[in-house]
Amino acid sequence: MGLVANESQLRGVAASDGIAIGSAYCYVPPDLTVPKRKPETNELELALFNAALVQARNELRNLMVERIGEKEAAIFDAHLMILDDPAFLKRIRKEVEGGQIVEQAVINAAKDLANMLAGMTNEMFAARAMDMRDVGRRILRILLSLPDCALSSMDTPSIVIAHDLTPSDTASLNPELTQGFCTVAGGLTSHSAILARNLGFPAIVALGDDLVESIPAGTPLVLDGQAGILFINPSASTVEIYRKKKDERENRIQQIRSIATKPAETADDIRVEVAANIGDLASAHDAVKYGAEGVGLLRTEFLYLDETQPPTEEKQYNIYRQIFEVLGHRPVIVRTLDIGGDKPPSYMLFPTEMNPFLGWRAIRISLDRLELFKTQLRAILRATEGYQARIMFPMIVDLDEPRQARKVVEEVEKELEAEHRPFAQDVPIGIMVETPAAAVLIDVLAEASDFFSLGTNDLTQYTLAVDRGNAAIFALYQPLHPSLLRLIKQTIDLAHSKGKWVGMCGELAGMPKAIPVLLGMGLDEFSMGPRAIPEAKFLIGKLDAEKSCQITEKALSFGTAAEIESFMQLILDEIR
Amino acid sequence: MAEEKLIVTHEAGLHARPASVFVRAANKFESEITVRNITEGGNAVDAKSIIMILTPGVVKSHEIQIRAEGSDAGQAIQCLTDLVQSNFGEA
């Protein structure tokens, strides 16, 4: 035999797209064998456990601070919750009282609870077994006085080969040096798979036990994360083919990234605004990251729910201010409180309602509870100083509501002036179009509105008389329903005839199947979940005025949502 | 004792963020609180345990029963019902 080993392949589950060409780093987790010892008193054993819990909490809190993404933080947050879990703690106590040393108690308790989860048929739930095992191993490692080192010793760019990677393992990993992952175990929803997708590493999971045995450290590898194939000792031609594929892929990604940072523009240079829907500070950061040109909808409910009393003006002011700072020069549309009997805060008494979606909600509450409304408007207006903010009222059905609401805004502005508190002048005030009543009345509402924004989630359910939370009629919730498209077109036409611009902040605005139609209708602003932005800009860039108008005309000629959907699928296949 | 039946409409079901939000809220109350999956059947589980709450496998459109027993049972049921119906605080 020569020095060059023959190429061989292993197949697994393609968990994260991408290509890696490099050499193997074999990860062996710390040895958690428990040395034999006699049990101490129950009190002492439990004291050891409690001390380990304290250290585990500290380690996890540190990881949450240091670590990369929001999802990672959520995983460690879940681990922190397990440390306080009554079922886990009860189980440990029982084991210790039954005469086990605490190390064994942790092993048994974690294993039983993890197995219970792993046995679930739904893969998403079964994957949580990993968190339980991981927490068990962390506590055990602390009890055995072993360091929390894991993968940190990797020092050259490598493809990580492991039996499985726990969240704690990957947290100690250097993303700069990691080219990809391959694991014996795992599935599409396993932690390492999710992490790889988040960080954009290629990964293959469920490669089987051969993996660890057949690959010594330093073995040359090619990882095809799309096909789920791992080439071991790849031939020169395999490496060549994959180097080419890798370059092409990187170019494509670069293209989409560069689209994300550019303003949205059609092929014939018509500018539209692609904005983000956000609901807290974290999503404001996402908006910037994914290339939002503004915020088409800042939901303010998060300030009100999960609380025991209404948020103070100061608290609201601080949070709005922080969000505006993150968005910088970008315009932000703040929607005033949109709560109702379906999501009441604990401190507000709601009447018993047969139909909370047709009940006391949104602007109806604001105009009835003027103190609550004024507090929010004061906080928003004060925060606008130096920024491009806009205010929007939800659930409008006639002209009287926005007139009244604007009057309250004027009062608040006078108050702030009298108190010499600064705020931006002439903040545009708009109406959220989410009732058919508002949609058909746009030309009239224009008197009291500087702009309009279509809230298609509610507009869909009110127009089609379909409760989107009702599983029995879920199939009837059709955002591409012909009635809805006509109503949207009519809204846009009426608004434009009055010289007002129209945005959309419902899910429809970010749906690839809807974007060409909406563009053809002349929608001015598309606001969506931050992650949908690059794709939306890409689609808009592929269309021009003539083509999108043709698409709209054709789409509006169909009589059912199913026909519109299949037509739009054809259009998408053609564009992409 | 207080109880309520309702349908979970969140995409994730009682899993991930909704599960942790729910368990955190349950832990604010003194009462003993349980959750049962009516759609799939099975036992009532401890609503204060992030592990146990996963075991009934509640996914979108499943109907659940929340039951509370203790001094603040009514409040607990009100709060948890609101939470589920508000899609766990997401619009």
Side-chain angles (χ1 to χ4, degrees):
Chain A
M1 285 293 286
L3 283 172
V4 180
N6 285 333
E7 175 178 303
S8 62
Q9 295 178 10
L10 280 177
R11 280 168 191 270
V13 173
S16 177
D17 198 0
I19 291 160
I21 302 167
S23 55
Y25 176 90
C26 299
Y27 168 61
V28 185
D31 180 9
L32 296 179
T33 314
V34 179
K36 278 222 161 62
R37 68 172 176 91
K38 284 223 172 80
E40 306 285 345
T41 63
N42 290 354
E43 290 71 30
L44 196 57
E45 292 289 344
L46 289 173
L48 288 171
F49 177 69
N50 286 329
L53 280 187
V54 171
Q55 190 182 332
R57 255 182 225 120
N58 286 338
E59 285 183 9
L60 287 167
R61 290 207 181 104
N62 287 338
L63 285 167
M64 279 180 73
V65 177
E66 287 163 20
R67 271 314 128 182
I68 21 199
E70 207 181 312
K71 278 196 183 151
E72 286 294 280
I75 287 168
F76 293 122
D77 197 35
H79 287 192
L80 276 168
M81 286 182 82
I82 294 177
L83 293 179
D84 290 325
D85 194 292
F88 181 49
L89 302 183
K90 202 154 103 197
R91 199 49 227 283
I92 297 279
R93 208 168 300 128
K94 212 174 122 194
E95 292 278 337
V96 168
E97 280 160 8
Q100 292 288 7
I101 58 170
V102 70
E103 293 89 335
Q104 195 58 44
V106 169
I107 293 175
N108 295 352
K111 191 172 153 194
D112 284 358
L113 293 171
N115 285 349
M116 187 175 65
L117 294 175
M120 293 179 67
T121 41
N122 183 314
E123 207 191 341
M124 290 288 285
F125 287 83
R128 300 275 68 82
M130 183 107 168
D131 292 314
M132 186 61 246
R133 291 195 192 105
D134 200 1
V135 170
R137 267 193 298 257
R138 177 177 300 279
I139 299 172
L140 188 57
R141 202 204 73 241
I142 293 170
L143 287 168
L144 297 173
S145 308
L146 294 170
D148 186 16
C149 67
L151 279 156
S152 53
S153 64
M154 191 165 89
D155 54 5
T156 50
S158 309
I159 296 170
V160 175
I161 304 289
H163 183 81
D164 205 348
L165 292 170
T166 67
S168 306
D169 290 332
T170 51
S172 60
L173 188 90
N174 183 343
E176 302 285 314
L177 295 178
T178 307
Q179 297 175 307
F181 299 146
C182 292
T183 62
V184 170
L188 272 182
T189 49
S190 66
H191 165 72
S192 41
I194 293 170
L195 180 90
R197 287 195 291 269
N198 281 350
L199 296 181
F201 298 144
I204 308 175
V205 298
L207 279 153
D209 284 320
D210 285 352
L211 177 70
V212 182
E213 283 153 28
S214 61
I215 305 176
T219 307
L221 300 171
V222 168
L223 189 171
D224 179 344
Q226 190 179 16
I229 305 173
L230 180 68
F231 297 85
I232 303 157
N233 296 309
S235 66
S237 65
T238 303
V239 172
E240 187 48 39
I241 290 167
Y242 274 96
R243 207 170 285 288
K244 243 186 213 158
K245 279 194 182 178
K246 191 170 190 275
D247 288 346
E248 282 166 16
R249 189 185 135 81
E250 273 158 17
N251 283 338
R252 208 166 56 235
I253 292 171
Q254 205 53 48
Q255 262 182 1
I256 291 195
R257 283 224 183 104
S258 65
I259 287 168
T261 59
K262 281 184 192 148
E265 220 167 57
T266 61
D268 52 345
D269 304 330
I270 299 169
R271 282 274 293 119
V272 290
E273 189 183 325
V274 175
N277 298 337
I278 65 172
D280 55 20
L281 191 58
S283 51
H285 283 286
D286 277 348
V288 174
K289 183 167 138 197
Y290 288 96
E293 298 166 72
V295 165
L297 172 64
L298 166 58
R299 300 185 179 94
T300 56
E301 292 73 62
F302 75 103
L303 287 161
Y304 291 82
L305 301 166
D306 266 355
E307 294 291 329
T308 51
Q309 52 190 14
T312 61
E313 181 182 324
E314 277 319 298
K315 183 181 174 186
Q316 292 191 58
Y317 166 79
N318 285 326
I319 293 178
Y320 298 142
R321 195 78 193 159
Q322 284 172 31
I323 290 174
F324 292 167
E325 273 166 24
V326 170
L327 274 308
H329 62 279
R330 300 171 184 82
V332 178
I333 300 179
V334 186
R335 177 178 71 187
T336 61
L337 189 54
D338 184 22
I339 54 170
D342 60 306
K343 44 178 175 182
S346 55
Y347 47 83
M348 271 176 91
L349 206 62
F350 271 76
T352 308
E353 294 183 314
M354 284 283 284
N355 287 310
F357 276 99
L358 307 179
W360 192 54
R361 60 183 302 117
I363 194 71
R364 299 170 184 179
I365 294 176
S366 294
L367 292 174
D368 277 356
R369 293 277 182 276
L370 279 178
E371 278 318 302
L372 195 73
F373 192 35
K374 277 184 154 179
T375 303
Q376 181 171 36
L377 290 173
R378 282 179 61 98
I380 297 171
L381 282 168
R382 284 176 52 205
T384 59
E385 213 252 326
Y387 295 103
Q388 283 207 58
R390 297 159 179 169
I391 296 174
M392 174 163 77
F393 303 127
M395 192 72 190
I396 296 295
V397 296
D398 66 14
L399 181 57
D400 203 35
E401 289 162 338
R403 274 182 180 161
Q404 279 188 54
R406 289 182 83 107
K407 215 175 263 170
V408 182
V409 173
E410 282 161 24
E411 277 170 37
V412 167
E413 284 176 342
K414 280 200 189 108
E415 281 175 26
L416 292 175
E417 261 164 33
E419 295 165 27
H420 304 289
R421 287 183 186 275
F423 60 93
Q425 299 297 311
D426 301 320
V427 171
I429 295 175
I431 288 174
M432 189 153 167
V433 183
E434 52 192 331
T435 63
V440 299
L441 212 59
I442 294 295
D443 49 335
V444 174
L445 295 176
E447 176 203 304
S449 194
D450 300 314
F451 64 91
F452 296 98
S453 183
L454 285 147
T456 50
N457 299 356
D458 278 341
L459 189 60
T460 306
Q461 74 174 352
Y462 293 138
T463 305
L464 303 181
V466 170
D467 173 359
R468 70 178 173 139
N470 183 338
I473 50 167
F474 196 69
L476 292 177
Y477 183 84
Q478 298 170 323
L480 284 173
H481 192 284
S483 303
L484 202 67
L485 291 188
R486 286 182 190 205
L487 201 55
I488 292 168
K489 174 148 196 322
Q490 192 185 326
T491 302
I492 296 171
D493 290 345
L494 283 175
H496 284 175
S497 75
K498 293 287 177 183
K500 311 284 175 169
W501 64 267
V502 186
M504 182 181 286
C505 56
E507 267 160 50
L508 198 63
M511 269 175 57
K513 276 184 189 164
I515 288 170
V517 185
L518 299 171
L519 191 66
M521 289 179 185
L523 187 71
D524 301 288
E525 176 228 50
F526 295 69
S527 192
M528 60 199 69
R531 279 160 206 274
I533 291 173
E535 168 92 19
K537 285 189 179 177
F538 171 80
L539 281 176
I540 290 166
K542 291 282 180 186
L543 292 156
D544 58 38
E546 196 190 334
K547 172 130 183 95
S548 56
C549 285
Q550 282 168 357
I551 293 170
T552 302
E553 199 178 315
K554 180 81 181 165
L556 286 170
S557 71
F558 292 112
T560 69
E563 285 168 323
I564 295 173
E565 286 221 20
S566 53
F567 168 65
M568 289 314 298
Q569 186 58 53
L570 288 177
I571 296 288
L572 279 186
D573 292 344
E574 191 187 311
I575 298 172
R576 282 169 174 159
Chain B
M1 197 200 63
E3 61 177 57
E4 190 67 62
K5 289 180 186 176
L6 63 168
I7 289 171
V8 174
T9 54
H10 195 284
E11 281 299 329
L14 262 185
H15 180 255
R17 181 187 166 276
S20 59
V21 170
F22 191 87
V23 169
R24 282 213 169 90
N27 273 294
K28 285 185 203 158
F29 298 96
E30 206 182 40
S31 297
E32 277 188 31
I33 307 171
T34 59
V35 172
R36 198 167 70 84
N37 186 338
I38 295 175
T39 310
E40 295 270 291
N43 296 328
V45 299
D46 185 356
K48 295 183 182 181
S49 161
I50 187 66
I51 300 163
M52 298 311 292
I53 201 92
L54 298 172
T55 58
V58 176
V59 298
K60 185 179 174 165
S61 83
H62 275 180
E63 189 181 11
I64 58 168
Q65 180 179 50
I66 312 174
R67 187 176 285 200
E69 217 167 327
S71 57
D72 50 9
Q75 255 178 301
I77 291 300
Q78 185 62 44
C79 164
L80 294 171
T81 306
D82 293 351
L83 196 60
V84 174
Q85 288 178 339
S86 72
N87 226 11
F88 302 90
E90 297 166 26

